[in-house]
Amino acid sequence: MTRIDAKFAELKAAGKKAFVSYVMAGDPDYDTSLEIVKGLPAAGVDIIELGLPFTDPMADGPTIQLAGQRALDGGMTLQKTLDLATEFRKTDDSTPIVLMGYYNPIYSRGVDQFLVDAKAAGIDGLIVVDLPPEEDSELCIPAQAAGLNFIRLATPTTDAKRLPKVLQNTSGFVYYVSITGITGAAEAQAGDVGPEVARIQEAGGLPVIVGFGVNTPEKAESIAKVADGTVVGSAIVSQIAEGKPVAEVLSFVKSLADGAHRA
């Protein structure tokens, strides 16, 4: 059982929905990023999605693209992202960390070496948005063999024919992308999301977390009510981009987490 599996079991026993937060590793700089990440669990975050900066983030909107660029400009690398996770693990051995990004930096390091290093750094799961199920032998299957969850995205265009393929080697949870488009582009609507979540839950038997277009405590609550939890990324990254103090960023995160936990 991974930390992710344990966290969902714990939440289910408590009758609570999950709140997942996304932040870009190294944004606006390594030290500030580490301080924010270390503060997330106390702000109510159940699972941390840690963005891996990349030069061509095709699924991301301007907010997260710019966060990745700031991180890269500050010298952030895959190794430094793993270093940040390692540092976090010195004081927190229970909060799951999902590394979210693109395949190129992992491929460049070499899958076998990356998986050894990620496991040692305390990474629990991977979301690699540009590796479809047809490429499962590249990373997904080796990652699961190494004890890491491989989390797949489902979208409004994932039809009944495609869904079994998407779910076949997925573990941990399914990330449902609530809108068609890039991150931060539009608002998620619970009425649209609920039936899709139910369909995916029935097909896969895994928790379904909804992201993209969740940006307020009220929205986090409404979406969490129709899913197993919700994830917020762009709205948090925007606070960091505005240069808000760490305490203020974490206060905003707490308001979102409180919303999700009210569901």
mmCIF file of all heavy atoms in Angstrom, residues 124-174:
data_model
loop_
_atom_site.group_PDB
_atom_site.id
_atom_site.type_symbol
_atom_site.label_atom_id
_atom_site.label_comp_id
_atom_site.label_asym_id
_atom_site.label_seq_id
_atom_site.Cartn_x
_atom_site.Cartn_y
_atom_site.Cartn_z
ATOM 1 N N ASP A 124 5.567 9.368 -4.319
ATOM 2 C CA ASP A 124 4.617 8.261 -4.199
ATOM 3 C C ASP A 124 3.889 7.935 -5.493
ATOM 4 O O ASP A 124 3.419 6.809 -5.675
ATOM 5 C CB ASP A 124 3.566 8.603 -3.140
ATOM 6 C CG ASP A 124 4.217 8.913 -1.812
ATOM 7 O OD1 ASP A 124 4.771 7.983 -1.204
ATOM 8 O OD2 ASP A 124 4.211 10.083 -1.393
ATOM 9 N N GLY A 125 3.751 8.923 -6.376
ATOM 10 C CA GLY A 125 3.009 8.693 -7.605
ATOM 11 C C GLY A 125 3.472 9.627 -8.699
ATOM 12 O O GLY A 125 4.170 10.618 -8.446
ATOM 13 N N LEU A 126 3.087 9.303 -9.923
ATOM 14 C CA LEU A 126 3.472 10.091 -11.095
ATOM 15 C C LEU A 126 2.232 10.408 -11.929
ATOM 16 O O LEU A 126 1.360 9.558 -12.108
ATOM 17 C CB LEU A 126 4.452 9.314 -11.980
ATOM 18 C CG LEU A 126 5.740 8.807 -11.343
ATOM 19 C CD1 LEU A 126 6.501 7.936 -12.343
ATOM 20 C CD2 LEU A 126 6.614 9.960 -10.870
ATOM 21 N N ILE A 127 2.170 11.655 -12.405
ATOM 22 C CA ILE A 127 1.232 12.028 -13.459
ATOM 23 C C ILE A 127 2.086 12.567 -14.593
ATOM 24 O O ILE A 127 2.737 13.607 -14.444
ATOM 25 C CB ILE A 127 0.230 13.101 -12.998
ATOM 26 C CG1 ILE A 127 -0.618 12.598 -11.826
ATOM 27 C CG2 ILE A 127 -0.675 13.523 -14.159
ATOM 28 C CD1 ILE A 127 -1.553 13.648 -11.241
ATOM 29 N N VAL A 128 2.128 11.835 -15.688
ATOM 30 C CA VAL A 128 2.942 12.230 -16.840
ATOM 31 C C VAL A 128 1.979 12.416 -18.003
ATOM 32 O O VAL A 128 1.524 11.454 -18.627
ATOM 33 C CB VAL A 128 4.031 11.184 -17.147
ATOM 34 C CG1 VAL A 128 4.908 11.641 -18.300
ATOM 35 C CG2 VAL A 128 4.896 10.939 -15.898
ATOM 36 N N VAL A 129 1.655 13.669 -18.274
ATOM 37 C CA VAL A 129 0.485 13.951 -19.113
ATOM 38 C C VAL A 129 0.677 13.638 -20.596
ATOM 39 O O VAL A 129 -0.308 13.522 -21.326
ATOM 40 C CB VAL A 129 0.036 15.425 -18.947
ATOM 41 C CG1 VAL A 129 -0.367 15.687 -17.510
ATOM 42 C CG2 VAL A 129 1.112 16.405 -19.371
ATOM 43 N N ASP A 130 1.923 13.487 -21.044
ATOM 44 C CA ASP A 130 2.128 13.232 -22.470
ATOM 45 C C ASP A 130 2.510 11.781 -22.771
ATOM 46 O O ASP A 130 3.027 11.478 -23.835
ATOM 47 C CB ASP A 130 3.177 14.192 -23.054
ATOM 48 C CG ASP A 130 4.504 14.170 -22.313
ATOM 49 O OD1 ASP A 130 4.567 13.601 -21.195
ATOM 50 O OD2 ASP A 130 5.488 14.743 -22.828
ATOM 51 N N LEU A 131 2.214 10.864 -21.836
ATOM 52 C CA LEU A 131 2.413 9.436 -22.089
ATOM 53 C C LEU A 131 1.051 8.747 -22.109
ATOM 54 O O LEU A 131 0.476 8.472 -21.058
ATOM 55 C CB LEU A 131 3.282 8.807 -20.991
ATOM 56 C CG LEU A 131 4.795 8.836 -21.188
ATOM 57 C CD1 LEU A 131 5.479 8.066 -20.045
ATOM 58 C CD2 LEU A 131 5.226 8.249 -22.522
ATOM 59 N N PRO A 132 0.509 8.449 -23.283
ATOM 60 C CA PRO A 132 -0.795 7.781 -23.362
ATOM 61 C C PRO A 132 -0.680 6.314 -22.952
ATOM 62 O O PRO A 132 0.431 5.769 -22.860
ATOM 63 C CB PRO A 132 -1.154 7.916 -24.843
ATOM 64 C CG PRO A 132 0.166 7.979 -25.537
ATOM 65 C CD PRO A 132 1.091 8.709 -24.607
ATOM 66 N N PRO A 133 -1.807 5.643 -22.726
ATOM 67 C CA PRO A 133 -1.776 4.232 -22.322
ATOM 68 C C PRO A 133 -1.037 3.327 -23.304
ATOM 69 O O PRO A 133 -0.482 2.309 -22.897
ATOM 70 C CB PRO A 133 -3.266 3.858 -22.261
ATOM 71 C CG PRO A 133 -3.989 5.139 -22.055
ATOM 72 C CD PRO A 133 -3.175 6.185 -22.755
ATOM 73 N N GLU A 134 -1.021 3.716 -24.572
ATOM 74 C CA GLU A 134 -0.302 2.911 -25.576
ATOM 75 C C GLU A 134 1.199 2.836 -25.284
ATOM 76 O O GLU A 134 1.891 1.972 -25.810
ATOM 77 C CB GLU A 134 -0.535 3.500 -26.977
ATOM 78 C CG GLU A 134 -1.924 3.268 -27.526
ATOM 79 C CD GLU A 134 -3.009 4.132 -26.895
ATOM 80 O OE1 GLU A 134 -2.666 5.114 -26.195
ATOM 81 O OE2 GLU A 134 -4.197 3.833 -27.092
ATOM 82 N N GLU A 135 1.690 3.748 -24.441
ATOM 83 C CA GLU A 135 3.119 3.785 -24.101
ATOM 84 C C GLU A 135 3.366 3.294 -22.669
ATOM 85 O O GLU A 135 4.379 3.636 -22.061
ATOM 86 C CB GLU A 135 3.649 5.218 -24.248
ATOM 87 C CG GLU A 135 3.410 5.867 -25.601
ATOM 88 C CD GLU A 135 4.143 5.179 -26.734
ATOM 89 O OE1 GLU A 135 5.145 4.486 -26.469
ATOM 90 O OE2 GLU A 135 3.707 5.315 -27.888
ATOM 91 N N ASP A 136 2.456 2.493 -22.123
ATOM 92 C CA ASP A 136 2.576 2.064 -20.725
ATOM 93 C C ASP A 136 3.896 1.360 -20.419
ATOM 94 O O ASP A 136 4.411 1.444 -19.301
ATOM 95 C CB ASP A 136 1.409 1.152 -20.339
ATOM 96 C CG ASP A 136 0.193 1.945 -19.866
ATOM 97 O OD1 ASP A 136 0.280 3.185 -19.800
ATOM 98 O OD2 ASP A 136 -0.839 1.322 -19.559
ATOM 99 N N SER A 137 4.446 0.662 -21.409
ATOM 100 C CA SER A 137 5.691 -0.066 -21.148
ATOM 101 C C SER A 137 6.877 0.880 -20.925
ATOM 102 O O SER A 137 7.878 0.495 -20.320
ATOM 103 C CB SER A 137 6.002 -1.015 -22.309
ATOM 104 O OG SER A 137 6.128 -0.277 -23.526
ATOM 105 N N GLU A 138 6.748 2.137 -21.395
ATOM 106 C CA GLU A 138 7.828 3.118 -21.238
ATOM 107 C C GLU A 138 8.090 3.446 -19.766
ATOM 108 O O GLU A 138 9.224 3.465 -19.320
ATOM 109 C CB GLU A 138 7.455 4.421 -21.962
ATOM 110 C CG GLU A 138 7.615 4.398 -23.449
ATOM 111 C CD GLU A 138 9.048 4.615 -23.897
ATOM 112 O OE1 GLU A 138 9.764 5.408 -23.268
ATOM 113 O OE2 GLU A 138 9.443 3.973 -24.877
ATOM 114 N N LEU A 139 7.011 3.775 -19.041
ATOM 115 C CA LEU A 139 7.174 4.274 -17.676
ATOM 116 C C LEU A 139 6.128 3.733 -16.710
ATOM 117 O O LEU A 139 6.448 3.391 -15.577
ATOM 118 C CB LEU A 139 7.138 5.810 -17.674
ATOM 119 C CG LEU A 139 7.261 6.503 -16.317
ATOM 120 C CD1 LEU A 139 8.609 6.173 -15.665
ATOM 121 C CD2 LEU A 139 7.102 8.011 -16.462
ATOM 122 N N CYS A 140 4.894 3.655 -17.153
ATOM 123 C CA CYS A 140 3.804 3.284 -16.254
ATOM 124 C C CYS A 140 4.044 1.933 -15.580
ATOM 125 O O CYS A 140 4.014 1.832 -14.339
ATOM 126 C CB CYS A 140 2.482 3.263 -17.027
ATOM 127 S SG CYS A 140 1.077 2.594 -16.112
ATOM 128 N N ILE A 141 4.284 0.905 -16.361
ATOM 129 C CA ILE A 141 4.445 -0.439 -15.797
ATOM 130 C C ILE A 141 5.717 -0.538 -14.954
ATOM 131 O O ILE A 141 5.676 -1.055 -13.828
ATOM 132 C CB ILE A 141 4.365 -1.502 -16.909
ATOM 133 C CG1 ILE A 141 2.916 -1.545 -17.441
ATOM 134 C CG2 ILE A 141 4.795 -2.870 -16.414
ATOM 135 C CD1 ILE A 141 2.713 -2.309 -18.714
ATOM 136 N N PRO A 142 6.873 -0.001 -15.419
ATOM 137 C CA PRO A 142 8.057 0.003 -14.541
ATOM 138 C C PRO A 142 7.836 0.787 -13.241
ATOM 139 O O PRO A 142 8.314 0.373 -12.180
ATOM 140 C CB PRO A 142 9.134 0.664 -15.410
ATOM 141 C CG PRO A 142 8.696 0.447 -16.814
ATOM 142 C CD PRO A 142 7.204 0.465 -16.780
ATOM 143 N N ALA A 143 7.092 1.887 -13.309
ATOM 144 C CA ALA A 143 6.836 2.691 -12.109
ATOM 145 C C ALA A 143 6.024 1.892 -11.094
ATOM 146 O O ALA A 143 6.337 1.889 -9.890
ATOM 147 C CB ALA A 143 6.107 3.975 -12.478
ATOM 148 N N GLN A 144 4.979 1.211 -11.570
ATOM 149 C CA GLN A 144 4.158 0.419 -10.653
ATOM 150 C C GLN A 144 4.967 -0.720 -10.050
ATOM 151 O O GLN A 144 4.823 -1.031 -8.859
ATOM 152 C CB GLN A 144 2.939 -0.133 -11.396
ATOM 153 C CG GLN A 144 2.193 0.950 -12.175
ATOM 154 C CD GLN A 144 0.747 1.131 -11.773
ATOM 155 O OE1 GLN A 144 0.447 1.319 -10.611
ATOM 156 N NE2 GLN A 144 -0.140 1.103 -12.739
ATOM 157 N N ALA A 145 5.854 -1.301 -10.844
ATOM 158 C CA ALA A 145 6.710 -2.374 -10.326
ATOM 159 C C ALA A 145 7.655 -1.850 -9.246
ATOM 160 O O ALA A 145 8.038 -2.585 -8.337
ATOM 161 C CB ALA A 145 7.506 -3.001 -11.477
ATOM 162 N N ALA A 146 7.998 -0.565 -9.346
ATOM 163 C CA ALA A 146 8.893 0.058 -8.362
ATOM 164 C C ALA A 146 8.139 0.551 -7.124
ATOM 165 O O ALA A 146 8.753 1.085 -6.193
ATOM 166 C CB ALA A 146 9.639 1.227 -9.014
ATOM 167 N N GLY A 147 6.806 0.382 -7.121
ATOM 168 C CA GLY A 147 6.020 0.784 -5.959
ATOM 169 C C GLY A 147 5.477 2.194 -6.015
ATOM 170 O O GLY A 147 5.065 2.750 -4.993
ATOM 171 N N LEU A 148 5.458 2.775 -7.222
ATOM 172 C CA LEU A 148 4.892 4.115 -7.388
ATOM 173 C C LEU A 148 3.543 4.010 -8.087
ATOM 174 O O LEU A 148 3.385 3.239 -9.036
ATOM 175 C CB LEU A 148 5.820 4.984 -8.255
ATOM 176 C CG LEU A 148 7.190 5.337 -7.675
ATOM 177 C CD1 LEU A 148 8.065 5.942 -8.760
ATOM 178 C CD2 LEU A 148 7.063 6.302 -6.523
ATOM 179 N N ASN A 149 2.561 4.772 -7.633
ATOM 180 C CA ASN A 149 1.283 4.830 -8.344
ATOM 181 C C ASN A 149 1.464 5.600 -9.643
ATOM 182 O O ASN A 149 2.202 6.586 -9.691
ATOM 183 C CB ASN A 149 0.222 5.539 -7.504
ATOM 184 C CG ASN A 149 -0.229 4.722 -6.314
ATOM 185 O OD1 ASN A 149 -0.187 5.178 -5.185
ATOM 186 N ND2 ASN A 149 -0.664 3.492 -6.549
ATOM 187 N N PHE A 150 0.805 5.136 -10.682
ATOM 188 C CA PHE A 150 0.796 5.865 -11.953
ATOM 189 C C PHE A 150 -0.627 6.337 -12.172
ATOM 190 O O PHE A 150 -1.550 5.538 -12.341
ATOM 191 C CB PHE A 150 1.267 4.986 -13.113
ATOM 192 C CG PHE A 150 1.692 5.780 -14.319
ATOM 193 C CD1 PHE A 150 2.992 6.231 -14.452
ATOM 194 C CD2 PHE A 150 0.783 6.102 -15.310
ATOM 195 C CE1 PHE A 150 3.390 6.974 -15.559
ATOM 196 C CE2 PHE A 150 1.163 6.848 -16.417
ATOM 197 C CZ PHE A 150 2.473 7.285 -16.539
ATOM 198 N N ILE A 151 -0.801 7.641 -12.102
ATOM 199 C CA ILE A 151 -2.133 8.253 -12.097
ATOM 200 C C ILE A 151 -2.435 8.783 -13.491
ATOM 201 O O ILE A 151 -1.636 9.529 -14.070
ATOM 202 C CB ILE A 151 -2.182 9.380 -11.042
ATOM 203 C CG1 ILE A 151 -2.016 8.760 -9.653
ATOM 204 C CG2 ILE A 151 -3.461 10.175 -11.127
ATOM 205 C CD1 ILE A 151 -1.160 9.554 -8.729
ATOM 206 N N ARG A 152 -3.569 8.396 -13.996
ATOM 207 C CA ARG A 152 -3.929 8.763 -15.360
ATOM 208 C C ARG A 152 -5.002 9.853 -15.350
ATOM 209 O O ARG A 152 -5.794 9.951 -14.420
ATOM 210 C CB ARG A 152 -4.472 7.532 -16.079
ATOM 211 C CG ARG A 152 -4.655 7.689 -17.554
ATOM 212 C CD ARG A 152 -3.375 7.512 -18.320
ATOM 213 N NE ARG A 152 -2.922 6.137 -18.304
ATOM 214 C CZ ARG A 152 -1.714 5.758 -18.724
ATOM 215 N NH1 ARG A 152 -0.860 6.641 -19.167
ATOM 216 N NH2 ARG A 152 -1.376 4.493 -18.695
ATOM 217 N N LEU A 153 -5.009 10.649 -16.398
ATOM 218 C CA LEU A 153 -6.041 11.669 -16.568
ATOM 219 C C LEU A 153 -7.160 11.148 -17.453
ATOM 220 O O LEU A 153 -6.903 10.508 -18.472
ATOM 221 C CB LEU A 153 -5.455 12.927 -17.209
ATOM 222 C CG LEU A 153 -4.727 13.919 -16.285
ATOM 223 C CD1 LEU A 153 -3.416 13.339 -15.793
ATOM 224 C CD2 LEU A 153 -4.465 15.230 -17.016
ATOM 225 N N ALA A 154 -8.398 11.413 -17.042
ATOM 226 C CA ALA A 154 -9.568 11.216 -17.894
ATOM 227 C C ALA A 154 -10.176 12.584 -18.143
ATOM 228 O O ALA A 154 -10.048 13.487 -17.310
ATOM 229 C CB ALA A 154 -10.581 10.289 -17.228
ATOM 230 N N THR A 155 -10.826 12.764 -19.269
ATOM 231 C CA THR A 155 -11.337 14.070 -19.670
ATOM 232 C C THR A 155 -12.775 13.958 -20.168
ATOM 233 O O THR A 155 -13.285 12.845 -20.350
ATOM 234 C CB THR A 155 -10.478 14.668 -20.812
ATOM 235 O OG1 THR A 155 -10.806 13.967 -22.032
ATOM 236 C CG2 THR A 155 -8.988 14.540 -20.540
ATOM 237 N N PRO A 156 -13.423 15.106 -20.419
ATOM 238 C CA PRO A 156 -14.781 15.036 -20.978
ATOM 239 C C PRO A 156 -14.858 14.318 -22.321
ATOM 240 O O PRO A 156 -15.935 13.894 -22.735
ATOM 241 C CB PRO A 156 -15.171 16.520 -21.117
ATOM 242 C CG PRO A 156 -14.357 17.221 -20.091
ATOM 243 C CD PRO A 156 -13.046 16.490 -20.062
ATOM 244 N N THR A 157 -13.726 14.173 -23.007
ATOM 245 C CA THR A 157 -13.737 13.494 -24.309
ATOM 246 C C THR A 157 -13.334 12.020 -24.200
ATOM 247 O O THR A 157 -13.222 11.335 -25.217
ATOM 248 C CB THR A 157 -12.797 14.213 -25.302
ATOM 249 O OG1 THR A 157 -11.472 14.230 -24.768
ATOM 250 C CG2 THR A 157 -13.262 15.637 -25.548
ATOM 251 N N THR A 158 -13.100 11.523 -22.969
ATOM 252 C CA THR A 158 -12.778 10.104 -22.783
ATOM 253 C C THR A 158 -14.078 9.311 -22.825
ATOM 254 O O THR A 158 -14.797 9.214 -21.830
ATOM 255 C CB THR A 158 -12.044 9.871 -21.449
ATOM 256 O OG1 THR A 158 -10.912 10.731 -21.365
ATOM 257 C CG2 THR A 158 -11.574 8.432 -21.337
ATOM 258 N N ASP A 159 -14.389 8.733 -23.984
ATOM 259 C CA ASP A 159 -15.681 8.063 -24.141
ATOM 260 C C ASP A 159 -15.641 6.626 -23.623
ATOM 261 O O ASP A 159 -14.613 6.141 -23.135
ATOM 262 C CB ASP A 159 -16.144 8.113 -25.595
ATOM 263 C CG ASP A 159 -15.182 7.420 -26.553
ATOM 264 O OD1 ASP A 159 -14.343 6.606 -26.097
ATOM 265 O OD2 ASP A 159 -15.258 7.683 -27.776
ATOM 266 N N ALA A 160 -16.770 5.947 -23.704
ATOM 267 C CA ALA A 160 -16.900 4.596 -23.149
ATOM 268 C C ALA A 160 -15.933 3.612 -23.794
ATOM 269 O O ALA A 160 -15.489 2.647 -23.159
ATOM 270 C CB ALA A 160 -18.332 4.102 -23.314
ATOM 271 N N LYS A 161 -15.600 3.846 -25.045
ATOM 272 C CA LYS A 161 -14.667 2.956 -25.739
ATOM 273 C C LYS A 161 -13.233 3.171 -25.248
ATOM 274 O O LYS A 161 -12.459 2.221 -25.105
ATOM 275 C CB LYS A 161 -14.752 3.220 -27.254
ATOM 276 C CG LYS A 161 -13.906 2.281 -28.091
ATOM 277 C CD LYS A 161 -14.067 2.583 -29.574
ATOM 278 C CE LYS A 161 -13.141 1.690 -30.397
ATOM 279 N NZ LYS A 161 -13.188 2.035 -31.833
ATOM 280 N N ARG A 162 -12.888 4.419 -24.979
ATOM 281 C CA ARG A 162 -11.524 4.764 -24.587
ATOM 282 C C ARG A 162 -11.253 4.532 -23.099
ATOM 283 O O ARG A 162 -10.136 4.205 -22.708
ATOM 284 C CB ARG A 162 -11.269 6.249 -24.920
ATOM 285 C CG ARG A 162 -9.874 6.761 -24.570
ATOM 286 C CD ARG A 162 -8.815 6.114 -25.413
ATOM 287 N NE ARG A 162 -7.495 6.685 -25.176
ATOM 288 C CZ ARG A 162 -6.351 6.124 -25.584
ATOM 289 N NH1 ARG A 162 -6.381 4.997 -26.264
ATOM 290 N NH2 ARG A 162 -5.201 6.686 -25.329
ATOM 291 N N LEU A 163 -12.281 4.693 -22.263
ATOM 292 C CA LEU A 163 -12.082 4.674 -20.814
ATOM 293 C C LEU A 163 -11.392 3.413 -20.286
ATOM 294 O O LEU A 163 -10.458 3.530 -19.472
ATOM 295 C CB LEU A 163 -13.423 4.893 -20.094
ATOM 296 C CG LEU A 163 -13.350 5.068 -18.577
ATOM 297 C CD1 LEU A 163 -12.488 6.263 -18.191
ATOM 298 C CD2 LEU A 163 -14.757 5.230 -17.995
ATOM 299 N N PRO A 164 -11.777 2.201 -20.722
ATOM 300 C CA PRO A 164 -11.089 1.004 -20.202
ATOM 301 C C PRO A 164 -9.582 1.025 -20.468
ATOM 302 O O PRO A 164 -8.782 0.579 -19.636
ATOM 303 C CB PRO A 164 -11.767 -0.152 -20.945
ATOM 304 C CG PRO A 164 -13.105 0.380 -21.318
ATOM 305 C CD PRO A 164 -12.891 1.842 -21.616
ATOM 306 N N LYS A 165 -9.185 1.556 -21.615
ATOM 307 C CA LYS A 165 -7.767 1.653 -21.962
ATOM 308 C C LYS A 165 -7.053 2.615 -21.005
ATOM 309 O O LYS A 165 -5.947 2.349 -20.536
ATOM 310 C CB LYS A 165 -7.634 2.152 -23.407
ATOM 311 C CG LYS A 165 -6.217 2.129 -23.962
ATOM 312 C CD LYS A 165 -5.805 0.732 -24.349
ATOM 313 C CE LYS A 165 -4.469 0.737 -25.081
ATOM 314 N NZ LYS A 165 -3.960 -0.635 -25.250
ATOM 315 N N VAL A 166 -7.710 3.739 -20.712
ATOM 316 C CA VAL A 166 -7.137 4.738 -19.809
ATOM 317 C C VAL A 166 -6.961 4.165 -18.404
ATOM 318 O O VAL A 166 -5.979 4.442 -17.718
ATOM 319 C CB VAL A 166 -8.040 5.990 -19.771
ATOM 320 C CG1 VAL A 166 -7.661 6.922 -18.637
ATOM 321 C CG2 VAL A 166 -7.968 6.731 -21.111
ATOM 322 N N LEU A 167 -7.912 3.333 -17.988
ATOM 323 C CA LEU A 167 -7.921 2.826 -16.610
ATOM 324 C C LEU A 167 -7.077 1.571 -16.405
ATOM 325 O O LEU A 167 -6.779 1.216 -15.260
ATOM 326 C CB LEU A 167 -9.361 2.525 -16.182
ATOM 327 C CG LEU A 167 -10.311 3.722 -16.075
ATOM 328 C CD1 LEU A 167 -11.727 3.241 -15.785
ATOM 329 C CD2 LEU A 167 -9.848 4.699 -15.004
ATOM 330 N N GLN A 168 -6.659 0.913 -17.474
ATOM 331 C CA GLN A 168 -6.149 -0.455 -17.327
ATOM 332 C C GLN A 168 -4.932 -0.576 -16.404
ATOM 333 O O GLN A 168 -4.815 -1.545 -15.651
ATOM 334 C CB GLN A 168 -5.846 -1.080 -18.697
ATOM 335 C CG GLN A 168 -4.685 -0.444 -19.443
ATOM 336 C CD GLN A 168 -4.472 -1.064 -20.821
ATOM 337 O OE1 GLN A 168 -5.248 -1.925 -21.250
ATOM 338 N NE2 GLN A 168 -3.450 -0.628 -21.524
ATOM 339 N N ASN A 169 -4.012 0.369 -16.430
ATOM 340 C CA ASN A 169 -2.840 0.293 -15.552
ATOM 341 C C ASN A 169 -2.764 1.471 -14.582
ATOM 342 O O ASN A 169 -1.704 1.742 -14.015
ATOM 343 C CB ASN A 169 -1.550 0.221 -16.383
ATOM 344 C CG ASN A 169 -1.423 -1.111 -17.104
ATOM 345 O OD1 ASN A 169 -1.638 -2.167 -16.515
ATOM 346 N ND2 ASN A 169 -1.105 -1.065 -18.379
ATOM 347 N N THR A 170 -3.879 2.155 -14.386
ATOM 348 C CA THR A 170 -3.916 3.298 -13.483
ATOM 349 C C THR A 170 -4.032 2.811 -12.042
ATOM 350 O O THR A 170 -4.694 1.817 -11.777
ATOM 351 C CB THR A 170 -5.123 4.197 -13.822
ATOM 352 O OG1 THR A 170 -4.979 4.643 -15.170
ATOM 353 C CG2 THR A 170 -5.208 5.398 -12.911
ATOM 354 N N SER A 171 -3.373 3.514 -11.127
ATOM 355 C CA SER A 171 -3.504 3.172 -9.707
ATOM 356 C C SER A 171 -3.441 4.446 -8.874
ATOM 357 O O SER A 171 -3.078 5.515 -9.372
ATOM 358 C CB SER A 171 -2.391 2.207 -9.276
ATOM 359 O OG SER A 171 -1.123 2.834 -9.324
ATOM 360 N N GLY A 172 -3.816 4.338 -7.603
ATOM 361 C CA GLY A 172 -3.809 5.510 -6.715
ATOM 362 C C GLY A 172 -5.113 6.264 -6.789
ATOM 363 O O GLY A 172 -5.938 6.216 -5.891
ATOM 364 N N PHE A 173 -5.304 6.986 -7.886
ATOM 365 C CA PHE A 173 -6.564 7.656 -8.178
ATOM 366 C C PHE A 173 -6.601 8.035 -9.646
ATOM 367 O O PHE A 173 -5.585 7.954 -10.338
ATOM 368 C CB PHE A 173 -6.795 8.885 -7.272
ATOM 369 C CG PHE A 173 -5.786 10.011 -7.404
ATOM 370 C CD1 PHE A 173 -5.986 11.076 -8.280
ATOM 371 C CD2 PHE A 173 -4.655 10.049 -6.603
ATOM 372 C CE1 PHE A 173 -5.086 12.130 -8.382
ATOM 373 C CE2 PHE A 173 -3.731 11.094 -6.687
ATOM 374 C CZ PHE A 173 -3.952 12.139 -7.580
ATOM 375 N N VAL A 174 -7.773 8.421 -10.099
ATOM 376 C CA VAL A 174 -7.927 8.956 -11.450
ATOM 377 C C VAL A 174 -8.105 10.464 -11.324
ATOM 378 O O VAL A 174 -8.864 10.938 -10.480
ATOM 379 C CB VAL A 174 -9.149 8.340 -12.171
ATOM 380 C CG1 VAL A 174 -9.317 8.956 -13.559
ATOM 381 C CG2 VAL A 174 -9.017 6.828 -12.259
#
